[in-house]
Amino acid sequence: MNQNYQELLRPEIINSLSGLSLIARVVSDGFLSGLNSSRRVGVGLTFSQYRAYEAGDDLRLLDWKILARTGRYYIKQSEIDTQVTVKFILDASKSMLHQESGLSKLEYAKVVIASLAKIAQNQGDQIGLFALNDSKLTTVLPNNHKKHYSKFIHELAELNAKGKWPEEVDELKKLQGRNSKEILFFITDLHEESSELTATIKGLKTKFNEVIVLQVLGKNEIDFDYEGFLIFEDLELGTKIKVDAKTAKENYVNNVQKTLDYTKKVLLSNNIEHHVFQMNDSIIDVLILFLKQRQRLI
């Protein structure tokens, strides 16, 4: 499918089962095509489950479904000792409704998760989803059956952001599995009143898993590209503040960078990866990050 996924990034498409599935398929097919062209993406990164067909390969090992979908030839390698459990934990609090260019952080996160899950499913990995706020927990337990992906995408597309991140998150303690090949993606904007989100993330790390925080922010949240007098509203608390953009920008930008640096330092000290993604960043970068981490596990 030779279509730019960015053309599909519209709320009415993202928030439907068929639309979100389409975006994930476009992203993954484009990514697979890129892997086929380069064979390697970055230092030490290879696509572990599928590789491009080479002369002399046994034709019985061809993956005919990928051939039919993409027109490209891939060999399906042995799944023994290569499966990984991938769990996605999504911050579904109301701050994730912040929009820029008509797209909310929650919608961008849905596309990221759907695309990562599609790549993981293509490799035979188990995928699970846990979305949380102080009023609801959405759970899709990890599985790698073919029909499981449809259920996964359905729950993801139906998600809404409400309220705040809960003070007590006992439910997430169940995520601490004993699978040595397990990756937890925590997708959040990390807007917290004190340290409730950071504490939750730190509590997820064990010697049996890898935890990766994807902090999703808008460009304006980082660069503060506003003009004139503005009124900002806290989406979770409802409080409002009037700001002169010109006089506030320098202090704001400095504070944001200090906060990001501090957060990275705290998480890295707990052996947790931390990556900031703006909503205008390419989703391909996230897929590369995933495969690099996956390659280290297997």
Side-chain angles (χ1 to χ4, degrees):
M1 184 176 297
N2 188 22
Q3 185 174 12
N4 186 340
Y5 76 88
Q6 292 178 334
E7 299 172 358
L8 301 171
L9 297 186
R10 300 197 298 272
E12 64 272 20
I13 298 178
I14 295 172
N15 295 312
S16 70
L17 172 60
S18 59
L20 192 56
S21 297
L22 172 63
I23 296 172
R25 188 166 70 250
V26 170
V27 172
S28 62
D29 286 354
F31 187 56
L32 285 173
S33 297
L35 285 177
N36 184 52
S37 299
S38 65
R39 295 295 306 281
R40 295 178 71 86
V41 183
V43 178
L45 174 62
T46 58
F47 193 59
S48 58
Q49 183 81 24
Y50 294 91
R51 65 170 173 80
Y53 172 80
E54 296 177 348
D57 283 333
D58 188 342
L59 291 175
R60 291 175 298 179
L61 299 178
L62 277 176
D63 192 293
W64 298 103
K65 290 184 178 180
I66 287 186
L67 174 62
R69 190 167 69 243
T70 69
R72 298 181 182 276
Y73 296 86
Y74 289 96
I75 294 295
K76 188 174 184 179
Q77 296 179 303
S78 173
E79 295 181 357
I80 299 176
D81 295 329
T82 64
Q83 288 185 347
V84 174
T85 297
V86 186
K87 298 174 180 177
F88 300 94
I89 305 170
L90 177 59
D91 174 3
S93 64
K94 202 171 181 181
S95 66
M96 294 290 284
L97 294 179
H98 171 80
Q99 291 187 5
E100 291 188 12
S101 301
L103 193 69
S104 72
K105 287 184 285 190
L106 178 66
E107 288 157 351
Y108 178 83
K110 287 182 179 182
V111 174
V112 168
I113 293 171
S115 302
L116 284 169
K118 184 65 175 175
I119 293 294
Q121 186 214 33
N122 284 345
Q123 299 182 101
D125 295 339
Q126 296 190 74
I127 54 174
L129 174 67
F130 306 86
L132 184 62
N133 53 46
D134 61 359
S135 63
K136 184 178 181 181
L137 169 65
T138 297
T139 302
V140 180
L141 295 176
N143 205 314
N144 60 358
H145 292 164
K146 292 182 179 179
K147 293 183 179 179
H148 178 70
Y149 182 74
S150 295
K151 178 183 179 181
F152 181 99
I153 292 296
H154 173 75
E155 294 292 339
L156 184 60
E158 292 290 317
L159 281 175
N160 293 308
K162 300 178 181 178
K164 303 185 296 182
W165 185 260
E167 295 182 7
E168 298 293 333
V169 285
D170 293 337
E171 299 94 337
L172 294 186
K173 293 180 181 178
K174 301 175 184 177
L175 298 185
Q176 297 174 336
R178 292 296 181 264
N179 188 334
S180 60
K181 295 179 181 179
E182 182 172 278
I183 300 175
L184 272 65
F185 280 102
F186 198 112
I187 301 91
T188 175
D189 57 9
L190 264 176
H191 288 337
E192 50 188 355
E193 291 184 50
S194 54
S195 59
E196 63 274 10
L197 276 160
T198 306
T200 300
I201 294 167
K202 289 163 60 177
L204 292 171
K205 184 71 179 80
T206 73
K207 63 180 181 180
F208 300 102
N209 64 23
E210 297 295 334
V211 179
I212 303 173
V213 176
L214 304 181
Q215 186 173 0
V216 179
L217 295 172
K219 184 177 185 300
N220 285 333
E221 285 187 291
I222 297 177
D223 298 335
F224 204 77
D225 289 333
Y226 297 105
E227 295 180 354
F229 286 90
L230 305 162
I231 296 178
F232 289 93
E233 180 180 0
D234 186 314
L235 292 174
E236 295 182 6
L237 301 178
T239 56
K240 298 180 181 180
I241 183 173
K242 188 175 182 180
V243 174
D244 178 1
K246 184 177 180 180
T247 58
K249 180 171 182 175
E250 182 177 355
N251 186 54
Y252 174 89
V253 171
N254 289 337
N255 284 337
V256 166
Q257 191 57 55
K258 287 180 181 178
T259 300
L260 292 176
D261 291 342
Y262 175 76
T263 299
K264 181 176 289 290
K265 181 179 179 180
V266 169
L267 294 178
L268 285 177
S269 68
N270 286 271
N271 296 317
I272 297 171
E273 289 195 29
H274 171 250
H275 301 271
V276 176
F277 286 92
Q278 296 184 35
M279 288 189 286
N280 58 346
D281 286 343
S282 172
I283 294 172
I284 299 302
D285 294 337
V286 187
L287 303 185
I288 293 173
L289 170 66
F290 165 55
L291 288 189
K292 284 182 176 179
Q293 183 63 61
R294 190 182 188 278
Q295 184 69 18
R296 287 196 289 267
L297 283 179
I298 62 173

